[in-house]
Amino acid sequence: RRRQLEEQYSAMGGIRNEAAVEIQRVARKFLKRIHDNYNAARQEYLEEATLTLQLAWRSYVARCRYYNARKENYLRQVSEREESAQVDAATRIQSVLKGMLIRHGVYREKRAKRSKDNAASTSIQLAWKSKRSREELQKRKE
């Protein structure tokens, strides 16, 4: 059977060769088209994947910036509150201290005035008593 086919093919001669070349040409075109379509689809897939990765990265960076800004804002607010609390505490301490010093100073002034008043009243009393004593002494002498 095989021999028979070979004889038929050799009888055909060039036809067989031309048909094989045409089939190969068509097959190569078909394979090239399939390959080109595959490459185009693959390229499109890679571009889409690239865009997806870029979008994910940009989103991540934006979230990081947002959270960092939020954290900085929170820390600034806490710092401002602490600073405000320190200023309030310092103001309160100064107020209490000034009040204490003023009260102490007023007390000291009152005590000094009282002591001056006491000294003056003691002097007056002394003068009055000495005058009365002299008058009594003169009355007795008479």
Side-chain angles (χ1 to χ4, degrees):
R1 171 87 178 132
R2 187 174 181 170
R3 183 173 259 212
Q4 213 178 13
L5 288 174
E6 285 178 6
E7 286 175 10
Q8 284 177 352
Y9 288 135
S10 59
M12 290 179 164
I15 298 174
R16 178 176 174 256
N17 197 18
E18 288 176 18
V21 169
E22 182 65 22
I23 289 172
Q24 288 174 358
R25 185 181 66 78
V26 169
R28 275 195 300 273
K29 273 183 152 179
F30 175 73
L31 290 174
K32 183 175 181 341
R33 201 169 42 230
I34 288 175
H35 182 70
D36 289 346
N37 287 342
Y38 171 77
N39 281 343
R42 185 167 192 272
Q43 186 65 31
E44 185 178 322
Y45 171 77
L46 290 176
E47 287 175 5
E48 201 172 302
T50 302
L51 292 175
T52 303
L53 286 174
Q54 287 174 351
L55 177 66
W57 178 254
R58 287 181 186 139
S59 297
Y60 170 75
V61 169
R63 276 193 309 275
C64 287
R65 286 183 184 152
Y66 171 75
Y67 287 125
N68 285 338
R70 220 171 136 189
K71 183 179 177 182
E72 288 174 12
N73 187 29
Y74 173 75
L75 292 175
R76 187 172 25 83
Q77 286 178 352
V78 167
S79 174
E80 287 172 358
R81 274 191 235 131
E82 287 176 355
E83 191 174 304
S84 175
Q86 287 177 351
V87 168
D88 291 346
T91 303
R92 181 73 180 140
I93 290 170
Q94 287 174 352
S95 171
V96 169
L97 184 63
K98 284 179 184 177
M100 186 182 78
L101 290 175
I102 287 173
R103 282 189 298 277
H104 184 68
V106 167
Y107 173 73
R108 191 183 269 170
E109 286 175 11
K110 280 184 180 177
R111 193 172 65 191
K113 186 177 178 193
R114 206 178 307 133
S115 126
K116 284 181 186 176
D117 288 347
N118 282 344
S121 64
T122 305
S123 296
I124 291 171
Q125 287 174 3
L126 179 66
W128 178 255
K129 286 181 183 178
S130 102
K131 181 182 175 194
R132 267 181 60 201
S133 297
R134 276 184 296 212
E135 286 175 357
E136 281 183 27
L137 188 62
Q138 261 185 5
K139 277 185 184 178
R140 284 186 189 171
K141 283 185 180 180
E142 293 177 6

